[in-house]
């Protein structure tokens, strides 16, 4: 037996364990201090009432012989696919039911989708990056090329015609930087992918946070994207499903490489290695797409985006460079006074009792930057931003 030695090439990600350790050390030294966490990437608002009601109803159905459900379709129930199709149609994107695959969240599909691509492919990944794109490709032994996201390009790297890639990961709105591509920029990526016969894996986990109607929420709002892109989405950050688990992946029928339909490959992969998402969860997800569900989701998103405004206004008042926060729950700021990411982390913890995420933990281009999130409680955001203002003025 040989192990997959690619796993040994994975670097330990010390980001969150180091944060936890530093916070615990500080708390044991100063037990009376209240620490505010603006580093969390998890939602804090509860599930919408429409979702809870649908869950209760579906659970009751499971208790009766006449309405009980056993195995469902591996790719998802049609009732949920119809709800997702309608959601996309409102933005002028028309999908076939067989192009939508229901998943238990974006994270697993971001890795699983790689099963249908050869390990010989070269992968293009942004730096800084949501670590899953990198680690799943290291596990498969693929060659990775990083595209630099920097202050100069507003953390929105554009295609370089001198680089030949086969698989391109794009996350917009981006985690960790909060940066969002506009339609022209995404069109450049689509044209580039078509020109080098590459596939784009588009992570739209934060699409619901886009406020500016001119910005694309799906890559399929871009002409010809169905010929080169797979879109992976989640109900985690919009409908609060981080613990409930549901998402979806779109593999268009037009997506064909060397005459092979990727949709057929993905269907084959899913029907072999996956047995579908629980019926009750799919009913809950369906409820999230109803008018009532969407109205509640809007309220939650507005709450988080109002938090983001408080953070952005404070940074603006202090003349601190940042991106994100307008169409994304993440705010990515340049550490003031030339501090490194970890120096700024320590400074905030000790002087403002506030925790964020050091940018260097997301890649080398993250050094000197810092991520704050708007998922916290309003009062805490206000207190933390007041404290940060007072120590930096
Ligand atoms: N994609 C991005 C960019 C994320 O930040 C996250 C979660 O934080 C995910 C995907 C995973 O979402 P899910 O909860 O659906 O697995």
């Amino acid at each position: 037996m040989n192990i997959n030695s690619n796993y040994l090439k994975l670097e330990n990600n010390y980001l969150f364990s180091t944060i936890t350790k530093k916070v615990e050390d500080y708390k044991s030294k100063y037990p009376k201090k209240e620490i505010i966490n603006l580093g969390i990437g998890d939602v804090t608002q509860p599930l919408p009432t429409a979702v809870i009601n649908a869950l209760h109803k579906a659970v009751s159905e499971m208790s009766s012989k006449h309405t009980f459900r056993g195995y469902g379709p591996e790719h998802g129930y049609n009732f949920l696919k119809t709800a997702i199709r309608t959601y996309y149609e409102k933005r002028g994107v028309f999908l076939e039911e067989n192009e939508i695959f229901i998943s238990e969240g974006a994270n697993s599909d971001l890795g699983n989708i790689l099963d249908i691509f050869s390990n010989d492919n070269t992968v293009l990944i942004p730096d800084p990056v949501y670590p899953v794109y990198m680690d799943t490709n290291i596990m498969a032994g693929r060659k990775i090329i990083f595209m630099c996201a920097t202050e100069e390009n507003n953390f929105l790297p554009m295609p370089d015609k001198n680089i030949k890639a086969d698989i391109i990961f794009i996350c917009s709105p981006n985690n960790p930087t909060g940066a969002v591509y506009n339609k022209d920029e995404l069109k450049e990526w689509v044209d580039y992918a078509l020109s080098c016969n590459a596939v784009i894996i588009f992570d739209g986990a934060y699409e619901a946070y886009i406020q500016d109607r001119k910005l694309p929420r799906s890559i399929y709002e871009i002409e010809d994207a169905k010929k080169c892109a797979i879109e992976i989405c989640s109900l985690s950050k919009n409908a609060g499903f981080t613990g409930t688990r549901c998402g979806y992946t779109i593999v268009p029928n037009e997506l064909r490489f060397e005459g092979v339909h990727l949709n057929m490959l993905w269907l084959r992969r899913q029907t072999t290695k996956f047995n579908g998402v629980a019926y009750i969860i799919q009913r809950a997800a369906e409820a999230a797409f109803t008018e009532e569900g969407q109205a509640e989701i809007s309220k939650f998103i507005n709450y988080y985006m109002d938090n983001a405004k408080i953070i952005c206004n404070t940074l603006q008042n202090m003349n601190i460079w940042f991106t994100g926060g307008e169409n994304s729950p993440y705010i990515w700021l340049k550490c003031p006074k030339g501090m490194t990411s970890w120096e700024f982390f320590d400074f905030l913890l000790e002087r403002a009792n506030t925790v964020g995420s050091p940018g260097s933990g997301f890649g080398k281009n993250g050094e000197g930057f810092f991520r704050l999130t708007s998922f916290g409680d309003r009062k805490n955001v206000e207190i933390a931003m007041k404290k940060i203002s007072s120590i930096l003025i």
Side-chain angles (χ1 to χ4, degrees):
M1 190 281 282
N2 291 319
I3 58 157
N4 179 351
S5 56
N6 291 319
Y7 276 65
L8 306 179
K9 296 178 196 154
L10 291 165
E11 277 183 32
N12 281 330
N13 192 332
Y14 293 114
L15 177 65
F16 291 105
S17 54
T18 311
I19 291 175
T20 309
K21 167 125 192 18
K22 277 177 178 274
V23 173
E24 274 167 9
D25 287 351
Y26 185 82
K27 273 188 183 162
S28 63
K29 240 166 131 185
Y30 305 100
K32 291 208 175 112
K33 297 267 188 200
E34 288 276 333
I35 308 288
I36 294 176
N37 190 346
L38 296 188
I40 47 163
D42 198 354
V43 290
T44 50
Q45 297 292 313
L47 289 172
T49 315
V51 168
I52 292 293
N53 291 341
L55 266 175
H56 281 303
K57 185 161 173 268
V59 169
S60 299
E61 281 179 55
M62 296 301 268
S63 70
S64 155
K65 195 172 178 191
H66 302 291
T67 47
F68 165 79
R69 309 276 181 133
Y71 288 122
E74 294 92 341
H75 42 81
Y77 283 103
N78 280 347
F79 61 76
L80 178 51
K81 294 185 181 198
T82 304
I84 293 169
R85 279 181 76 189
T86 311
Y87 181 67
Y88 273 77
E89 268 170 26
K90 287 182 190 146
R91 273 176 276 138
V93 173
F94 297 92
L95 301 171
E96 300 294 332
E97 232 150 61
N98 80 319
E99 294 178 312
I100 304 168
F101 296 79
I102 308 304
S103 70
E104 81 270 295
N107 212 12
S108 27
D109 271 11
L110 282 164
N112 292 341
I113 196 76
L114 296 168
D115 272 12
I116 66 171
F117 301 110
S118 161
N119 289 352
D120 297 338
N121 287 310
T122 298
V123 189
L124 196 55
I125 290 176
D127 172 355
V129 67
Y130 176 59
V132 175
Y133 313 151
M134 189 171 73
D135 288 349
T136 48
N137 280 294
I138 292 175
M139 286 170 180
R142 286 194 190 87
K143 181 180 169 201
I144 297 175
I145 298 175
F146 289 99
M147 41 176 161
C148 289
T150 59
E151 187 180 349
E152 286 67 43
N153 59 24
N154 277 318
F155 287 90
L156 290 170
M158 294 306 294
D160 177 346
K161 297 202 170 58
N162 298 314
I163 291 175
K164 162 85 183 79
D166 305 302
I167 303 172
I168 303 159
F169 280 82
I170 295 180
C171 178
S172 179
N174 189 277
N175 179 12
T177 70
V180 187
Y181 283 109
N182 66 29
K183 283 189 178 166
D184 290 342
E185 289 160 343
L186 274 192
K187 175 74 177 130
E188 263 192 62
W189 275 112
V190 166
D191 291 344
Y192 167 78
L194 289 171
S195 76
C196 56
N197 209 26
V199 66
I200 294 174
I201 311 289
F202 185 81
D203 183 343
Y206 297 95
E207 56 83 18
Y209 285 83
I210 294 182
Q211 313 286 304
D212 182 343
R213 286 170 180 270
K214 291 195 288 302
L215 291 173
R217 289 173 59 167
S218 160
I219 194 158
Y220 304 123
E221 291 176 49
I222 311 302
E223 198 188 341
D224 290 335
K226 282 189 179 172
K227 294 180 186 151
C228 64
I230 289 172
E231 182 159 297
I232 298 183
C233 286
S234 169
L235 277 86
S236 283
K237 303 298 168 80
N238 50 2
F241 273 55
T242 48
T244 308
R245 310 304 304 144
C246 196
Y248 55 92
T249 289
I250 296 163
V251 187
N253 290 322
E254 283 175 55
L255 202 49
R256 228 178 315 162
F257 286 81
E258 293 161 7
V260 179
H261 286 275
L262 293 195
N263 183 288
M264 294 305 296
L265 293 189
W266 181 239
L267 178 65
R268 191 71 179 84
R269 191 269 172 210
Q270 289 299 79
T271 49
T272 303
K273 290 196 184 179
F274 185 56
N275 250 348
V277 174
Y279 171 73
I280 55 174
I281 300 298
Q282 293 195 57
R283 279 295 184 199
E286 179 193 27
F289 290 102
T290 58
E291 218 172 287
E292 191 194 349
Q294 287 292 300
E296 286 181 86
I297 286 172
S298 287
K299 274 195 205 150
F300 290 149
I301 289 182
N302 288 342
Y303 178 86
Y304 295 134
M305 292 312 286
D306 285 344
N307 284 347
K309 260 184 221 145
I310 294 169
I311 298 173
C312 292
N313 287 343
T314 312
L315 296 175
Q316 247 153 11
N317 289 342
M318 294 188 291
N319 278 329
I320 292 178
W321 188 95
F322 68 94
T323 179
E326 262 180 77
N327 295 287
S328 140
Y330 295 116
I331 296 104
W332 180 253
L333 61 105
K334 190 170 178 174
C335 301
K337 305 183 183 196
M339 280 185 256
T340 66
S341 301
W342 279 111
E343 280 168 356
F344 190 55
F345 176 91
D346 292 335
F347 178 76
L348 281 196
L349 177 61
E350 284 159 24
R351 304 277 303 278
N353 302 143
T354 299
V355 174
S357 309
S360 53
F362 299 98
K364 79 170 170 38
N365 288 313
E367 181 54 276
F369 290 85
F370 202 77
R371 190 190 77 173
L372 294 177
T373 83
S374 60
F375 290 124
D377 184 76
R378 173 69 40 78
K379 248 208 168 85
N380 284 343
V381 172
E382 285 169 345
I383 295 171
M385 295 324 284
K386 267 199 191 119
K387 283 187 174 179
I388 293 175
S389 298
S390 72
I391 58 167
L392 281 168
I393 282 174

